[in-house]
Amino acid sequence: MTDVWTPPYPEPGSANDAAFIGIGEIPSGVYRERGFMAQIVEASARAIQDARLAHTDIDQIVLIPCLHGIPDQADLIFSRVAEELGLHGRVKSSVMVHSGGSTSDNATRMAAGLIASGQARNVLVVYSERWGSADLQAMIDMLSVNGIPKEWEAPTGLQFNAIGGLITQRYMHRSGSSAAEMAAICVALRDWANLNPNAMYYEKKLTVEKIVNSKMISDPIHAFECPFLADGAGAFVMTSATEAARKHDAWVRIGGSGGCVSHYSAGQDADLGVLGWVKAAEEAYQAASWGPEDADLGEVYDSYAAVLAIALEGLAISPEGEAAREFHKGRFSPGGQFPLNTNGGLLSAGHTGVGGGTALLIEGVRQLLHRAGPDRQVPNAQRCIVGGTGGSYMDAQIMMLERVTR
Amino acid sequence: MSVTNVLRDGGYIQNAEELTGPFGAALAEGKLIVQRCLDCSALIMYPKYRCPTCFSGNLGWHQVSGAGTLATFTILRYGPPSSFDVEAPYCIGIVKLDEGPQLMCRMHPGSDGTWDHYVCEQRVNFVPADAAEVAERPAAWFSAALG
Ligand SMILES: [Zn+2]
């Protein structure tokens, strides 16, 4: 029996409680003319402006990695962003945090920790990805190396659509979900994307018929159920509640978080139809003292439909085995009872690599700041559950976000 | 053994080749083995430098029956890794061995040349691929159990 540890989270209203005060984003999709660093600077500038700060107010940069190439990633690691933003000689540190698709949650935890402990005053977190413009085979090859053990799983010919297929097969077996019910997940996300001008598929409709009639890529996943690789960038600014209150009437705090690293190898997860969500959710809900019944919306990692369905069930947003059927009935669509992945998610806003989860987090903050615009703003949104997962769905990370008013 | 091969600080598994080599060597002989902790008897896949249960470094190998259940599977039809010198489609599965450990593996097609007969939770058996295949790609292969 291990000791029960109750972490001393900052109380709401405490001076050093971490606060999201600004977000910035540029559209996702295929934008060959847009450069990696240009995307970073533009997204950062928008977030800093949204936070009502000057660029020189930023004293800490936290970078979310790109996966399209090592040289650009090296530029992130070695402080090019500080110099590009005119912050060299000003920021205390510029550092990359990386846990794949769950990086957004871990970067948030780190930024919040720096603020709560007085190590930083205004933290800029930014991502930029060029997956849409990268060579497709090179990305497939990268996605058959990263997160897949070379000694044990590479010899089977595994790559990420195959991992998606393994998870989906298991989920459909466990839940008894039909192909049409699985396809309804992608359609709901597309309906949200059709309301988001920054989404890759803002202008394209999708139907269940179109999905189930598209070719099989990695059984039972059809072509229109695979994530579409995209270019994109986004940023957010965090500060303390004290600083937030100086310039803002409302901000977003972290009510609590939970996490569970369930495996490294897809082949070694105890049940690919379950993953690490149950344990992470228990921790997050206890920390926040609220749960799915109190949430106004969710923003949960969705690189494949089954990955999202499994997360929703682990988070107890859906009853066990019912997530895909609930999608099919419209519960998570625009106008449904529980708004979910309101930017269109990775599957329809565009899979910007590690940035895809960050885009969901940014959308959650945007909704709670009431800045999502008339088409998709969830009325009076107060609480949002954000979920992320990285690698071969190696972990489940949860952020319980709350709107705070002065 | 030459003197230069004796490490001053030894007595533990030194590298991935030492850790994984026996598995591939057994496959080449048509056998399926998993790692076994010599202290707590835990069976371990994938092999580790220390036992995940008791953290012992006293580790050996254990030949398994090859019988198990198919947790899940997929047929990759498009976009295999370019380093993977096999034409799609091919079938990948996760098998949970009766002895406990599970592993990512390849699935043999049925007599009709397809994988249509597989379903989750069905019984499967280890049926080694030919020596050339195993030498090229050291993966365990399984087939549907008869009857
Ligand atoms: Zn042991």
mmCIF file with all atom_site columns, all heavy atoms in Angstrom, chain B residues 2 11 20 41 45 74 87-88 97 122 124:
data_model
loop_
_atom_site.group_PDB
_atom_site.id
_atom_site.type_symbol
_atom_site.label_atom_id
_atom_site.label_alt_id
_atom_site.label_comp_id
_atom_site.label_asym_id
_atom_site.label_entity_id
_atom_site.label_seq_id
_atom_site.pdbx_PDB_ins_code
_atom_site.Cartn_x
_atom_site.Cartn_y
_atom_site.Cartn_z
_atom_site.occupancy
_atom_site.B_iso_or_equiv
_atom_site.pdbx_formal_charge
_atom_site.auth_seq_id
_atom_site.auth_comp_id
_atom_site.auth_asym_id
_atom_site.auth_atom_id
_atom_site.pdbx_PDB_model_num
ATOM 1  N N   . SER B 1 2   ? 38.659  -13.032 -25.447 1.00 0.00 ? 2   SER B N   1
ATOM 2  C CA  . SER B 1 2   ? 39.875  -12.232 -25.291 1.00 0.00 ? 2   SER B CA  1
ATOM 3  C C   . SER B 1 2   ? 39.731  -11.316 -24.081 1.00 0.00 ? 2   SER B C   1
ATOM 4  O O   . SER B 1 2   ? 38.631  -10.983 -23.668 1.00 0.00 ? 2   SER B O   1
ATOM 5  C CB  . SER B 1 2   ? 40.136  -11.404 -26.551 1.00 0.00 ? 2   SER B CB  1
ATOM 6  O OG  . SER B 1 2   ? 39.228  -10.335 -26.602 1.00 0.00 ? 2   SER B OG  1
ATOM 7  N N   . GLY B 1 11  ? 28.361  -7.841  -15.201 1.00 0.00 ? 11  GLY B N   1
ATOM 8  C CA  . GLY B 1 11  ? 27.360  -8.507  -14.385 1.00 0.00 ? 11  GLY B CA  1
ATOM 9  C C   . GLY B 1 11  ? 25.954  -8.015  -14.640 1.00 0.00 ? 11  GLY B C   1
ATOM 10 O O   . GLY B 1 11  ? 25.042  -8.388  -13.924 1.00 0.00 ? 11  GLY B O   1
ATOM 11 N N   . THR B 1 20  ? 18.129  -8.354  -26.631 1.00 0.00 ? 20  THR B N   1
ATOM 12 C CA  . THR B 1 20  ? 17.137  -8.833  -27.597 1.00 0.00 ? 20  THR B CA  1
ATOM 13 C C   . THR B 1 20  ? 17.620  -10.013 -28.427 1.00 0.00 ? 20  THR B C   1
ATOM 14 O O   . THR B 1 20  ? 16.809  -10.737 -28.997 1.00 0.00 ? 20  THR B O   1
ATOM 15 C CB  . THR B 1 20  ? 16.745  -7.700  -28.575 1.00 0.00 ? 20  THR B CB  1
ATOM 16 O OG1 . THR B 1 20  ? 17.899  -7.327  -29.323 1.00 0.00 ? 20  THR B OG1 1
ATOM 17 C CG2 . THR B 1 20  ? 16.212  -6.498  -27.848 1.00 0.00 ? 20  THR B CG2 1
ATOM 18 N N   . SER B 1 41  ? 10.250  -15.012 -10.772 1.00 0.00 ? 41  SER B N   1
ATOM 19 C CA  . SER B 1 41  ? 9.608   -15.879 -11.772 1.00 0.00 ? 41  SER B CA  1
ATOM 20 C C   . SER B 1 41  ? 8.642   -15.156 -12.706 1.00 0.00 ? 41  SER B C   1
ATOM 21 O O   . SER B 1 41  ? 7.925   -15.795 -13.467 1.00 0.00 ? 41  SER B O   1
ATOM 22 C CB  . SER B 1 41  ? 8.861   -17.058 -11.116 1.00 0.00 ? 41  SER B CB  1
ATOM 23 O OG  . SER B 1 41  ? 9.764   -17.824 -10.367 1.00 0.00 ? 41  SER B OG  1
ATOM 24 N N   . MET B 1 45  ? 7.653   -9.407  -21.206 1.00 0.00 ? 45  MET B N   1
ATOM 25 C CA  . MET B 1 45  ? 7.758   -8.972  -22.596 1.00 0.00 ? 45  MET B CA  1
ATOM 26 C C   . MET B 1 45  ? 7.420   -7.495  -22.615 1.00 0.00 ? 45  MET B C   1
ATOM 27 O O   . MET B 1 45  ? 6.433   -7.095  -21.985 1.00 0.00 ? 45  MET B O   1
ATOM 28 C CB  . MET B 1 45  ? 6.814   -9.740  -23.509 1.00 0.00 ? 45  MET B CB  1
ATOM 29 C CG  . MET B 1 45  ? 7.387   -11.066 -24.022 1.00 0.00 ? 45  MET B CG  1
ATOM 30 S SD  . MET B 1 45  ? 8.958   -10.927 -24.876 1.00 0.00 ? 45  MET B SD  1
ATOM 31 C CE  . MET B 1 45  ? 8.415   -10.614 -26.542 1.00 0.00 ? 45  MET B CE  1
ATOM 32 N N   . THR B 1 74  ? -4.901  -5.621  -37.343 1.00 0.00 ? 74  THR B N   1
ATOM 33 C CA  . THR B 1 74  ? -5.233  -4.705  -38.423 1.00 0.00 ? 74  THR B CA  1
ATOM 34 C C   . THR B 1 74  ? -4.564  -5.197  -39.699 1.00 0.00 ? 74  THR B C   1
ATOM 35 O O   . THR B 1 74  ? -3.540  -5.884  -39.629 1.00 0.00 ? 74  THR B O   1
ATOM 36 C CB  . THR B 1 74  ? -4.807  -3.253  -38.110 1.00 0.00 ? 74  THR B CB  1
ATOM 37 O OG1 . THR B 1 74  ? -5.317  -2.377  -39.125 1.00 0.00 ? 74  THR B OG1 1
ATOM 38 C CG2 . THR B 1 74  ? -3.287  -3.101  -38.075 1.00 0.00 ? 74  THR B CG2 1
ATOM 39 N N   . GLU B 1 87  ? 5.363   -5.879  -49.376 1.00 0.00 ? 87  GLU B N   1
ATOM 40 C CA  . GLU B 1 87  ? 4.274   -5.190  -50.065 1.00 0.00 ? 87  GLU B CA  1
ATOM 41 C C   . GLU B 1 87  ? 2.990   -5.306  -49.255 1.00 0.00 ? 87  GLU B C   1
ATOM 42 O O   . GLU B 1 87  ? 2.667   -6.361  -48.724 1.00 0.00 ? 87  GLU B O   1
ATOM 43 C CB  . GLU B 1 87  ? 4.072   -5.808  -51.448 1.00 0.00 ? 87  GLU B CB  1
ATOM 44 C CG  . GLU B 1 87  ? 5.215   -5.457  -52.379 1.00 0.00 ? 87  GLU B CG  1
ATOM 45 C CD  . GLU B 1 87  ? 4.769   -5.327  -53.823 1.00 0.00 ? 87  GLU B CD  1
ATOM 46 O OE1 . GLU B 1 87  ? 3.557   -5.421  -54.085 1.00 0.00 ? 87  GLU B OE1 1
ATOM 47 O OE2 . GLU B 1 87  ? 5.640   -5.128  -54.665 1.00 0.00 ? 87  GLU B OE2 1
ATOM 48 N N   . ALA B 1 88  ? 2.245   -4.196  -49.181 1.00 0.00 ? 88  ALA B N   1
ATOM 49 C CA  . ALA B 1 88  ? 0.934   -4.238  -48.556 1.00 0.00 ? 88  ALA B CA  1
ATOM 50 C C   . ALA B 1 88  ? -0.018  -4.991  -49.501 1.00 0.00 ? 88  ALA B C   1
ATOM 51 O O   . ALA B 1 88  ? 0.227   -5.008  -50.714 1.00 0.00 ? 88  ALA B O   1
ATOM 52 C CB  . ALA B 1 88  ? 0.449   -2.815  -48.305 1.00 0.00 ? 88  ALA B CB  1
ATOM 53 N N   . LEU B 1 97  ? -0.337  -14.109 -24.794 1.00 0.00 ? 97  LEU B N   1
ATOM 54 C CA  . LEU B 1 97  ? 0.021   -15.520 -24.616 1.00 0.00 ? 97  LEU B CA  1
ATOM 55 C C   . LEU B 1 97  ? -0.683  -16.098 -23.393 1.00 0.00 ? 97  LEU B C   1
ATOM 56 O O   . LEU B 1 97  ? -0.954  -15.380 -22.426 1.00 0.00 ? 97  LEU B O   1
ATOM 57 C CB  . LEU B 1 97  ? 1.541   -15.649 -24.437 1.00 0.00 ? 97  LEU B CB  1
ATOM 58 C CG  . LEU B 1 97  ? 2.388   -15.142 -25.613 1.00 0.00 ? 97  LEU B CG  1
ATOM 59 C CD1 . LEU B 1 97  ? 3.859   -15.058 -25.214 1.00 0.00 ? 97  LEU B CD1 1
ATOM 60 C CD2 . LEU B 1 97  ? 2.210   -16.057 -26.832 1.00 0.00 ? 97  LEU B CD2 1
ATOM 61 N N   . GLN B 1 122 ? -10.091 -14.385 -30.482 1.00 0.00 ? 122 GLN B N   1
ATOM 62 C CA  . GLN B 1 122 ? -10.054 -15.770 -30.936 1.00 0.00 ? 122 GLN B CA  1
ATOM 63 C C   . GLN B 1 122 ? -8.730  -16.432 -30.539 1.00 0.00 ? 122 GLN B C   1
ATOM 64 O O   . GLN B 1 122 ? -7.736  -15.763 -30.246 1.00 0.00 ? 122 GLN B O   1
ATOM 65 C CB  . GLN B 1 122 ? -10.243 -15.852 -32.441 1.00 0.00 ? 122 GLN B CB  1
ATOM 66 C CG  . GLN B 1 122 ? -8.990  -15.514 -33.243 1.00 0.00 ? 122 GLN B CG  1
ATOM 67 C CD  . GLN B 1 122 ? -9.132  -15.978 -34.680 1.00 0.00 ? 122 GLN B CD  1
ATOM 68 O OE1 . GLN B 1 122 ? -9.748  -15.295 -35.494 1.00 0.00 ? 122 GLN B OE1 1
ATOM 69 N NE2 . GLN B 1 122 ? -8.572  -17.129 -34.971 1.00 0.00 ? 122 GLN B NE2 1
ATOM 70 N N   . VAL B 1 124 ? -5.284  -18.322 -31.039 1.00 0.00 ? 124 VAL B N   1
ATOM 71 C CA  . VAL B 1 124 ? -4.246  -18.364 -32.076 1.00 0.00 ? 124 VAL B CA  1
ATOM 72 C C   . VAL B 1 124 ? -3.044  -19.143 -31.560 1.00 0.00 ? 124 VAL B C   1
ATOM 73 O O   . VAL B 1 124 ? -2.881  -19.332 -30.353 1.00 0.00 ? 124 VAL B O   1
ATOM 74 C CB  . VAL B 1 124 ? -3.803  -16.943 -32.499 1.00 0.00 ? 124 VAL B CB  1
ATOM 75 C CG1 . VAL B 1 124 ? -4.914  -16.200 -33.247 1.00 0.00 ? 124 VAL B CG1 1
ATOM 76 C CG2 . VAL B 1 124 ? -3.352  -16.116 -31.297 1.00 0.00 ? 124 VAL B CG2 1
#
